[in-house]
Amino acid sequence: MAYRGTNGSSLFITVLYVVAACRAIPINDLLDRASQRSDKLHSLSTMLTQELDTHFPPIGRMIMPRPAMCHTSSLQTPIDKDQALRVSESDLLSLARSLLQAWSDPLLVLSNSANTLPHPAQSSISNKVQQLQEHSKTLGDGLEILSGKMGPAAQAISYLPYRGGTDLGQDKITKLINFYFLVSCFRRDSHKIDSFLKVLRCRAAKMQPEMC
Amino acid sequence: MMRKAGEIILLLLLPFVMTHADGTHYRMPGKPTLTSCRSPEKETFTCWWEPGPDWGLRTTYALYYRKENSEMVYECPDYRTAGANSCYFNKNDTSIWVNYNITVVATNSAGSTFSDSVDIDVVYIVQPNPPERVTATILEDKGWPFLRVSWEPPHKADTRSGWITLFYQIRVKLEGESEWEMHYAGQQKTFNIYSLRSGGTYLVQVNCKPDHGFWSDWSSTSYVKVPEYYTRERSVWLLIALFSAFIFLILIWLIHMNIRSLKHCILPPVPGPKIKGFDRHLLKNGKCDEVFSTLVVSDFPPTMSSNYEDLLVEYLEVYIPEEHELMLEESKDLHDGFLKSEGSASDSDSGRGSCDSHTLLMDKCGEVKEKQTDQEGGRMGTEAHTQQADWDESHEDMVSPDMSSGRVKTWPSVFSPLPQYSPSPLHHPNTLETAWQQQQHYLSDTLLPADSLSSDLSQAGHNIKDTPSSNYWKFCLSNKRPHLLQTDARWHLQAHSDVNISNISHKEAPACTYLSSLRSTEYVEVQRVNEEDRVLLHPVSSERHDGKDCLQLCHGEDYSKVKGVDIDNVLLLHREVMEEEVDMCLCDNQETNGATESCYTTITPQKPTSCIQAQAMSGYVDTATMFAQPSH
């Protein structure tokens, strides 16, 4: 009997501790961390784009697919500030999560292609793609935790499949162009994620107006 | 015919001529170029272009754009707001995360020229306006001024909602300088700058940058003047200088005080040969007994020997043979030994038991040492020996060891390389030497434990060097003399030692009789000086059992000392007395023995005290008795 009592009390204490611990990190702090991560993600993609630009064939720009061809373009996102500020927190988070989720597969493709990319800065590019994958994964996990605190609407993720296949192209030019195109799509989407999270951060940090 | 062809040619060439005459008229405009497009707040944007050469013709420029998802081409809505050669897109026309394809067209009468197209996304071209309302003020922090810069974000940038996140940067420089001092301020809107120059004027500027965008232009310059706090700095330096000078002086003084120890530390003296307890300087001075005093180990002979009881000789049968003259040789060795012995033992009171006779000699020893050479010392030694012999001869009583509480036990010299001491008297000449040697050791041993007494000696202010010298004389002598004394003498010495010890310890002798009898053996008289300048001593054989002796003993003044050597080479001994009362027994003894000692002759039975008193402070005294008092 005494043993059971001890068990029960220790369990209670454990639960209490977990609850206390869970409450220890407030949402604004979580959002701050998430926005920092997304900021880093976007910076990486920008640097990647600039590196690709250094040795990009001019003709490639001519035959570059249009941005509307990005696989995530079907997702309806706000196109100006007023629209963005009217979206609810849960929806914003949902959008961010959906976009992030849509890139898990294409990043793999990018990573594979980066190993054999016909580009002088191939190793650096490959390294950056690797980092993109890591940050993306971490951010996804963090957003998942956040969504748990923000209601069921935040949990909904739109499915945006990538249909580009595992191979970016046969010849060098095509490979390079497709690679560049994918990276540009990712750059934009990462900027969207970053903006949404920063808006969420400022909304949550009512106690810290100096942050925003 | 020819005329017709020329006219035709002329007609054909006319338009060309006319065209060349007015070349610019039909020149297409130069190609314009889009220089930049910027959005200050991610809500609107402006594009600027650079027009090409217009050939003097009126050229109009138009900007057309196409959004990424539609094929519709729109013309720039506002050419004026942003100035010349610009196109301003207001909020309604601006979409973010949308690619714009922008082209500028220059048109003149000759035609139109298209510029290169540019694809832009508004979110990538953000460059905010400079921060506004930059204020720089001087505040004080505990008396030290600092510069506080504060500003506000550009009013167009919406940082409150988080639409734009701005990071700030400050640059400061003194008036007249060329280099700016940059400070990154992060997202905060105030910044403090310390370490200002007193009395200087500072220029301050601030700019900002969005999280993913371009740095803005620098804000307008703010001027701020730092008040004077120059004097305080100066006084601080002055204080520091004074303090340093003070510390420096103290250091110098400390070094000066400790210069010797520092020298010793830094340049340690080269150590010479060192025998523990051996002082070379004393050797130079010729103080024999002092030199060896520290060599003599206090616990040697071992007091905790298991054979202690066996070795302990409490009292001895003393047999004094008829001939007890000592033939003492004066030898260099003796002298050396004497000197050495003189220099060594600090205290020889225990040995002084048998050395009681030495009291007569000790005086002499000291004086001799001062004035003379080793010969005197040799004589002293001989005298000591003769004294001992006398003691041995005269003394017939047993010395009870119980007499003295502090008595030092005497042992045969088992600890020495000499043959084992045997209690039975040895009449062999060989054994005699051995006995002597043993005795010597024995004496020294007895001397040794009396270190405390020696300390008392020094306390009492006695002349220590006299004390050990006598003992050491014996040592010196005994080493060289195979037959210095008869074996009996040895016994006597021992007895005497015991007696002395007892005397030392007990100031008041319980058995006066005993003491008096001891006293009878104490004195040695110089018989004569032989041809070799050797003092021949023989013990005084008188028996003392008088009350006078008792008195003397009771008072503890037992030993006569050598006063000096007169012209006839007579050893002058006199007895030194601590107490005033003196037993004239000594004198009697002397007289009976016919001692030539002046002291004895001078001493009258009626007035022994005077004699003794006269010599009270001159030299060797039986330190044992002297110190018996303090020990008690």
Side-chain angles (χ1 to χ4, degrees), chain B residues 10 14 16 24 55 96 114 144 147 207 224 230-231 271-272 381 537 544 563 581 628:
Chain B
L10 215 67
L14 193 65
F16 288 106
T24 56
W55 314 122
I96 53 170
F114 285 79
W144 296 95
L147 178 64
N207 75 345
V224 62
Y230 176 83
T231 52
L537 305 172
R544 308 239 183 270
K563 184 181 168 191
E581 299 163 35

Side-chain angles (χ1 to χ4, degrees), chain A residues 109-190:
Chain A
V109 173
L110 274 175
S111 171
N112 295 333
S113 303
N115 296 329
T116 57
L117 196 68
H119 197 277
Q122 177 265 325
S123 60
S124 171
I125 288 164
S126 177
N127 186 33
K128 285 192 175 61
V129 172
Q130 194 89 18
Q131 291 179 50
L132 279 177
Q133 275 185 293
E134 287 165 12
H135 284 283
S136 175
K137 173 81 172 55
T138 318
L139 184 60
D141 296 339
L143 289 181
E144 196 171 335
I145 294 168
L146 259 173
S147 67
K149 296 173 184 275
M150 293 177 76
Q155 309 262 7
I157 296 179
S158 306
Y159 182 58
L160 305 159
Y162 174 67
R163 301 184 201 285
T166 54
D167 191 10
L168 287 179
Q170 302 300 323
D171 57 306
K172 282 171 47 172
I173 302 287
T174 317
K175 226 178 185 177
L176 211 57
I177 290 164
N178 288 338
F179 192 92
Y180 191 96
F181 175 68
L182 264 178
V183 170
S184 66
C185 287
F186 182 76
R187 186 186 176 202
R188 175 185 285 181
D189 289 339
S190 63

Side-chain angles (χ1 to χ4, degrees), chain A residues 68 79 81 188 194 198 212, chain B residues 68-69 96 158-159 211-212:
Chain A
I79 55 166
K81 174 190 147 187
R188 175 185 285 181
D194 187 45
K198 280 174 179 165
C212 301
Chain B
E68 72 177 44
N69 290 336
I96 53 170
D158 182 11
T159 51
D211 46 1
H212 309 286

Side-chain angles (χ1 to χ4, degrees), chain B residues 298-590:
Chain B
S298 62
D299 60 347
F300 182 82
T303 58
M304 306 313 290
S305 164
S306 58
N307 299 329
Y308 179 80
E309 292 302 320
D310 295 341
L311 298 175
L312 178 64
V313 177
E314 300 206 333
Y315 55 87
L316 305 162
E317 293 267 352
V318 177
Y319 169 66
I320 304 171
E322 287 302 334
E323 314 79 49
H324 51 262
E325 295 179 2
L326 296 171
M327 300 299 293
L328 302 174
E329 298 173 349
E330 287 183 352
S331 67
K332 198 72 168 144
D333 299 328
L334 275 175
H335 300 160
D336 293 340
F338 164 72
L339 286 171
K340 278 187 213 165
S341 64
E342 277 188 0
S344 55
S346 57
D347 180 28
S348 53
D349 16 342
S350 59
R352 226 175 295 115
S354 56
C355 298
D356 283 343
S357 58
H358 291 288
T359 53
L360 297 167
L361 296 168
M362 295 315 290
D363 217 16
K364 193 75 172 181
C365 177
E367 292 173 10
V368 166
K369 208 164 38 170
E370 292 159 9
K371 331 175 203 176
Q372 290 213 6
T373 60
D374 311 338
Q375 295 190 355
E376 293 268 36
R379 273 185 232 138
M380 297 302 177
T382 56
E383 192 174 35
H385 282 292
T386 53
Q387 270 192 349
Q388 288 175 8
D390 287 340
W391 298 334
D392 293 337
E393 286 174 9
S394 58
H395 179 70
E396 287 176 0
D397 297 338
M398 304 299 290
V399 178
S400 164
D402 300 332
M403 292 309 298
S404 60
S405 60
R407 174 174 73 161
V408 174
K409 307 293 184 193
T410 62
W411 307 266
S413 55
V414 293
F415 32 76
S416 67
L418 300 171
Q420 191 71 356
Y421 178 75
S422 58
S424 62
L426 306 172
H427 296 275
H428 269 238
N430 305 336
T431 54
L432 182 60
E433 177 181 359
T434 306
W436 266 114
Q437 290 170 342
Q438 290 171 352
Q439 198 162 31
Q440 162 204 337
H441 284 279
Y442 141 80
L443 286 168
S444 63
D445 298 336
T446 54
L447 286 173
L448 295 172
D451 280 347
S452 58
L453 293 172
S454 65
S455 60
D456 293 336
L457 185 80
S458 52
Q459 288 165 10
H462 288 279
N463 196 342
I464 292 175
K465 60 183 181 181
D466 286 335
T467 319
S469 59
S470 64
N471 300 320
Y472 287 103
W473 295 335
K474 285 187 290 187
F475 295 170
C476 305
L477 291 168
S478 61
N479 275 331
K480 310 299 171 187
R481 307 287 306 167
H483 60 281
L484 290 175
L485 278 180
Q486 296 160 9
T487 54
D488 298 331
R490 173 188 66 213
W491 291 102
H492 291 301
L493 278 170
Q494 288 181 342
H496 187 66
S497 314
D498 292 339
V499 171
N500 281 344
I501 293 159
S502 63
N503 287 333
I504 292 162
S505 53
H506 291 290
K507 198 55 196 163
E508 51 289 338
C512 286
T513 322
Y514 169 65
L515 290 170
S516 63
S517 62
L518 289 173
R519 286 211 56 80
S520 63
T521 63
E522 298 172 1
Y523 301 102
V524 169
E525 64 174 294
V526 178
Q527 189 146 35
R528 58 185 167 84
V529 178
N530 65 1
E531 309 76 30
E532 299 170 16
D533 287 336
R534 289 195 192 120
V535 176
L536 305 180
L537 305 172
H538 63 91
V540 176
S541 58
S542 60
E543 301 294 337
R544 308 239 183 270
H545 300 281
D546 304 336
K548 293 178 187 173
D549 291 331
C550 178
L551 282 169
Q552 285 177 347
L553 289 170
C554 291
H555 295 134
E557 56 76 36
D558 296 331
Y559 305 101
S560 61
K561 58 178 181 180
V562 177
K563 184 181 168 191
V565 177
D566 67 2
I567 46 173
D568 296 335
N569 287 336
V570 173
L571 203 62
L572 304 178
L573 303 177
H574 66 87
R575 192 174 60 224
E576 185 169 316
V577 182
M578 291 182 64
E579 307 285 339
E580 294 211 351
E581 299 163 35
V582 173
D583 194 355
M584 47 184 85
C585 297
L586 289 168
C587 296
D588 293 340
N589 288 334
Q590 300 295 335

Side-chain angles (χ1 to χ4, degrees), chain A residues 39 42-43 66-68 78-81 84-85 187-188 191-192 194-196 198-199 201-202 211-212, chain B residues 42-43 68-69 71 94-99 121 123-124 158-163 165 187 189 211-212:
Chain A
D39 189 288
H42 180 68
S43 302
R66 292 178 300 164
I79 55 166
D80 64 13
K81 174 190 147 187
L85 293 180
R187 186 186 176 202
R188 175 185 285 181
H191 192 277
K192 283 185 187 175
D194 187 45
S195 297
F196 297 155
K198 280 174 179 165
V199 168
R201 175 175 74 172
C202 275
M211 284 283 282
C212 301
Chain B
K42 248 197 298 190
E43 296 168 50
E68 72 177 44
N69 290 336
E71 296 295 327
T94 308
S95 303
I96 53 170
W97 296 311
V98 169
N99 263 24
D121 195 330
V123 293
Y124 299 145
D158 182 11
T159 51
R160 288 290 173 94
S161 63
W163 187 241
T165 311
Q187 280 185 269
K189 296 181 185 63
D211 46 1
H212 309 286

Side-chain angles (χ1 to χ4, degrees), chain B residues 84-362:
Chain B
N85 298 327
S86 72
C87 177
Y88 173 73
F89 295 82
N90 60 12
K91 277 189 189 182
N92 298 331
D93 298 323
T94 308
S95 303
I96 53 170
W97 296 311
V98 169
N99 263 24
Y100 280 77
N101 190 292
I102 296 169
T103 317
V104 175
V105 177
T107 312
N108 64 4
S109 54
S112 299
T113 315
F114 285 79
S115 68
D116 292 329
S117 290
V118 168
D119 282 311
I120 56 151
D121 195 330
V122 175
V123 293
Y124 299 145
I125 55 164
V126 181
Q127 186 180 24
N129 294 328
E132 291 162 8
R133 289 200 272 194
V134 176
T135 60
T137 52
I138 301 287
L139 299 176
E140 274 206 3
D141 172 37
K142 292 166 193 165
W144 296 95
F146 67 96
L147 178 64
R148 164 162 280 173
V149 188
S150 63
W151 57 89
E152 284 185 18
H155 66 276
K156 284 190 185 171
D158 182 11
T159 51
R160 288 290 173 94
S161 63
W163 187 241
I164 291 186
T165 311
L166 291 175
F167 300 97
Y168 302 95
Q169 199 176 319
I170 299 161
R171 69 176 186 183
V172 182
K173 78 168 179 180
L174 268 171
E175 199 172 27
E177 280 187 10
S178 59
E179 297 276 331
W180 287 93
E181 189 182 314
M182 305 296 283
H183 298 279
Y184 185 75
Q187 280 185 269
Q188 60 200 49
K189 296 181 185 63
T190 58
F191 196 77
N192 297 333
I193 294 171
Y194 301 92
S195 307
L196 302 174
R197 184 175 299 182
S198 159
T201 303
Y202 283 91
L203 285 74
V204 181
Q205 285 183 329
V206 190
N207 75 345
C208 57
K209 171 184 109 75
D211 46 1
H212 309 286
F214 304 98
W215 281 102
S216 70
D217 293 334
W218 288 103
S219 66
S220 56
T221 310
S222 295
Y223 292 88
V224 62
K225 183 149 169 36
V226 181
E228 303 267 351
Y229 62 101
Y230 176 83
T231 52
R232 194 178 298 165
E233 238 177 38
R234 258 292 179 86
S235 64
V236 167
W237 281 114
L238 196 66
L239 268 173
I240 288 168
L242 279 171
F243 191 66
S244 312
F246 184 64
I247 295 284
F248 185 68
L249 280 171
I250 286 179
L251 275 171
I252 293 287
W253 181 77
L254 278 171
I255 288 169
H256 182 261
M257 295 303 282
N258 297 330
I259 194 78
R260 280 209 200 96
S261 62
L262 273 174
K263 252 196 229 168
H264 202 271
C265 193
I266 296 164
L267 307 165
V270 176
K274 193 162 176 129
I275 301 167
K276 193 176 175 185
F278 186 77
D279 190 349
R280 292 180 293 137
H281 296 293
L282 288 176
L283 186 63
K284 286 180 201 166
N285 295 339
K287 293 185 176 46
C288 189
D289 41 2
E290 282 175 27
V291 170
F292 290 114
S293 61
T294 50
L295 288 176
V296 176
V297 182
S298 62
D299 60 347
F300 182 82
T303 58
M304 306 313 290
S305 164
S306 58
N307 299 329
Y308 179 80
E309 292 302 320
D310 295 341
L311 298 175
L312 178 64
V313 177
E314 300 206 333
Y315 55 87
L316 305 162
E317 293 267 352
V318 177
Y319 169 66
I320 304 171
E322 287 302 334
E323 314 79 49
H324 51 262
E325 295 179 2
L326 296 171
M327 300 299 293
L328 302 174
E329 298 173 349
E330 287 183 352
S331 67
K332 198 72 168 144
D333 299 328
L334 275 175
H335 300 160
D336 293 340
F338 164 72
L339 286 171
K340 278 187 213 165
S341 64
E342 277 188 0
S344 55
S346 57
D347 180 28
S348 53
D349 16 342
S350 59
R352 226 175 295 115
S354 56
C355 298
D356 283 343
S357 58
H358 291 288
T359 53
L360 297 167
L361 296 168
M362 295 315 290

